[in-house]
Amino acid sequence: MLARYDRMCDRAAAEVISQYSTSFYLATRFLAPRVRTDVRNLYAMVRIADEIVDGTARAAGTDAASLLDAYQAHVLAAPASRFHTDPVLHAWANSARRCRFDDEHVAAFFASMRRDLSQSLYDPADFDAYVYGSAEVIGLMCVAAFVAEDPVPASTRAELDEGARALGAAFQKVNFLRDLAEDRDDLGRTYFPQLGDRDIDDTVKAELVADIRADLARARRAVPLLPKPARGAVAAAEALFAELTERIDAIPAATLYTTRISVPRHRKLYVTARALRRYRA
């Protein structure tokens, strides 16, 4: 009975990612089944925390700060118990035990989420801290999932961690550019220090795109070091965000406030297939 409940909770977590990130969901399809489950379970936990701080809790009339504190406590305590009535928490706990996710990474993630409840502008140091907690540690936890059953030497792990942090940072910065209008107008946030209280222009956009490309290049160098079952999926995710970066580069900066940039499905399939071919075993 417990195994059946585990499977149901894993499916619930997979449904979360399918509803919120089609690109990431597509990339995870190319992971080995066990790793795919762990990455999706991680994402589902993260997504719930995002919903708490991004207006959903407020829309429901709930105090977001108190709810976030309680959720962090539940997440950190969850791996100690084998059964949870919350399917996402149950799935997360199973993966956290299996992959030995670092509590410090979880705490850093929640620290960034807590910033979203009170901080609207960022200086360079605050920005780096926010990106580390909101995105880079997610990459580090993904590496933990990748190597849980395929251990790598310590020197390789260090390089993988560096690449994972770079890829997480790139993902976050791309999403900041895609969500400029929503973040500013609906949530009252401006993340990029270069903007402050002014709109983005083409010069700043070019600077940000160059920074993202540098992050993606660092991440790309680490892909061949990954265990084979993870290489194709990570390459596909990197390629999809590289495609988004090129599309952002090709439009006027002002368009970012009126159009959320995306990759059409047929192009996603092409970009994904091309990346997978590079790392076919």
Side-chain angles (χ1 to χ4, degrees), residues 236 239-240 243 263 266-276:
L240 287 169
E243 178 75 12
V263 180
H266 72 276
R267 182 66 182 174
K268 281 183 182 179
L269 295 175
Y270 171 76
V271 168
T272 300
R274 185 176 59 186
L276 290 170

Side-chain angles (χ1 to χ4, degrees), residues 154-183:
S155 59
T156 302
R157 178 65 183 269
E159 292 182 71
L160 290 177
D161 284 349
E162 181 182 353
R165 290 184 61 179
L167 190 58
F171 286 1
Q172 184 65 287
K173 293 167 190 175
V174 167
N175 284 330
F176 284 160
L177 286 171
R178 298 173 76 200
D179 296 334
L180 274 179
E182 180 182 357
D183 286 340

